[in-house]
Amino acid sequence: MTYAMTLEQLRIFVAVAEREHVTQAARDLNLAQSAASHAIAALEARHDTRLFDRVGRRIELTEAGRAFLVEARTVLAQAERAEQTLVEFGRLERGTLTVQASQTIAGYWLPRHIVAFRGAWPHIELRLAIGNTAEAVAAIEAGTAELGFVEGEVESDLLDTLQVARDQLIVVVGLSHPWVDHPPATAEELTETDWVLREPGSGTRSAFQQALAAQGVAPERLRVGLELPSNEAVRAAVEAGFGATAISASVAAPALENGLLHHVPFRLPDRAFHLLRHRQRHRSKIAQAFVALLVA
């Protein structure tokens, strides 16, 4: 049976070649002389090539030995770099974290946590993709992102969820809307105006529809005049005077402060922001560090 050469054999060969002395090399490597001699003999026997000439009490590299020394040093240097890579990953000095978040979370809640993480681990690359809740769930299930952040509850046998924050949905209208002076008193009255909503699959839309259903109003009874793909587009449409919308208080805050929107005093339940992780996939040290920062 033949055996491939090992990194240990290469280390011994290089040490012997640099010192031109087996005993000294063995001592410096904390090996028995017989172990060092055996390693050299195994390399020579395997390839039927002498690496050293024995000249009296000295040894000298042969032509093959000199050529092999160059390659052995290269291999050992590459092995050292490979090991250092794992060390850096273990110490969070290197690596990448992929995150998929819904628009509300990515735009208004997550950035400050990304900045804090960057300050703690500046050499980690964080890649953030933004979509709606359904897209974030799909990314975690498919393994294209390690961590996901969504609004509301998620039902999936593949995912673990952890609540990391809470958010308040509010109803807002433009300044010329009748609800500025005569707000709805019941959930039934919400069906009497046009609405601007996010697209199906959005966590904001799902949370609003669940709140309506809980108050006895079927979501399909809403007069949805516009479906738009971003929080900013929804907010801008309502600012321009089209209908009403239910939106995160964080998203509405700048427009409310600048007098571009009116907060309708109709109470909606708050909702949870959830962290998503795949139940079966390995959880990297980077991801664990990010989660620890969130819940600290």
Side-chain angles (χ1 to χ4, degrees):
M1 181 181 293
T2 58
Y3 298 92
M5 68 179 68
T6 66
L7 289 177
E8 183 66 12
Q9 288 175 330
L10 294 183
R11 290 189 183 97
I12 293 170
F13 166 74
V14 170
V16 172
E18 289 175 345
R19 294 161 180 78
E20 296 186 337
H21 201 286
V22 175
T23 301
Q24 184 179 345
R27 183 170 58 249
D28 292 345
L29 294 174
N30 197 28
L31 294 172
Q33 180 179 340
S34 59
S37 297
H38 177 75
I40 299 299
L43 286 172
E44 292 180 327
R46 172 176 171 79
H47 299 284
D48 194 22
T49 302
R50 290 188 67 83
L51 299 173
F52 296 96
D53 284 327
R54 280 70 176 176
V55 181
R57 300 179 65 181
R58 297 174 52 250
I59 58 173
E60 297 177 351
L61 284 167
T62 63
E63 179 182 4
R66 289 191 295 272
F68 185 56
L69 178 61
V70 173
E71 301 300 331
R73 283 171 169 163
T74 299
V75 170
L76 291 175
Q78 290 175 334
E80 184 176 348
R81 287 194 296 272
E83 183 174 14
Q84 183 60 29
T85 296
L86 295 181
V87 169
E88 290 172 358
F89 273 96
R91 294 176 179 172
L92 300 184
E93 296 172 353
R94 182 176 175 180
T96 302
L97 177 62
T98 53
V99 176
Q100 177 109 10
S102 63
Q103 288 191 23
T104 302
I105 292 175
Y108 297 90
W109 179 80
L110 193 57
R112 66 180 181 272
H113 299 292
I114 292 176
V115 170
F117 182 78
R118 179 71 175 178
W121 294 281
H123 301 295
I124 300 299
E125 179 183 0
L126 195 150
R127 297 176 182 169
L128 173 63
I130 301 173
N132 60 33
T133 294
E135 290 167 339
V137 170
I140 303 303
E141 289 181 339
T144 56
E146 185 170 0
L147 298 179
F149 293 92
V150 299
E151 306 108 358
E153 299 289 340
V154 170
E155 294 184 4
S156 172
D157 293 335
L158 298 176
L159 304 182
D160 286 330
T161 64
L162 174 68
Q163 181 178 314
V164 291
R166 298 201 69 80
D167 178 54
Q168 181 63 53
L169 277 183
I170 62 174
V171 175
V172 295
V173 295
L175 301 185
S176 62
H177 195 281
W179 285 355
V180 172
D181 297 318
H182 304 286
T186 66
E188 184 67 27
E189 292 178 55
L190 297 180
T191 64
E192 297 174 0
T193 193
D194 293 320
W195 286 84
V196 185
L197 297 180
R198 288 280 307 281
E199 76 287 356
S202 157
T204 297
R205 179 167 179 162
S206 296
F208 179 47
Q209 291 176 333
Q210 289 170 9
L212 288 178
Q215 298 188 53
V217 177
E220 56 269 20
R221 292 183 58 204
L222 285 185
R223 289 161 31 194
V224 181
L226 289 174
E227 289 184 351
L228 298 175
S230 74
N231 292 321
E232 289 68 28
V234 168
R235 185 179 64 195
V238 177
E239 288 175 8
F242 189 93
T245 193
I247 200 168
S248 167
S250 298
V251 176
L256 291 171
E257 292 171 2
N258 291 317
L260 300 175
L261 288 177
H262 175 76
H263 180 193
V264 177
F266 186 89
R267 177 72 179 177
L268 292 174
D270 62 0
R271 58 179 177 171
F273 287 169
H274 283 100
L275 163 70
L276 307 180
R277 290 174 289 189
H278 201 285
R279 188 164 293 165
Q280 297 173 343
R281 288 193 171 92
H282 170 71
R283 295 176 180 178
S284 69
K285 286 188 176 181
I286 299 174
Q288 292 177 41
F290 192 84
V291 174
L293 182 148
L294 294 178
V295 300

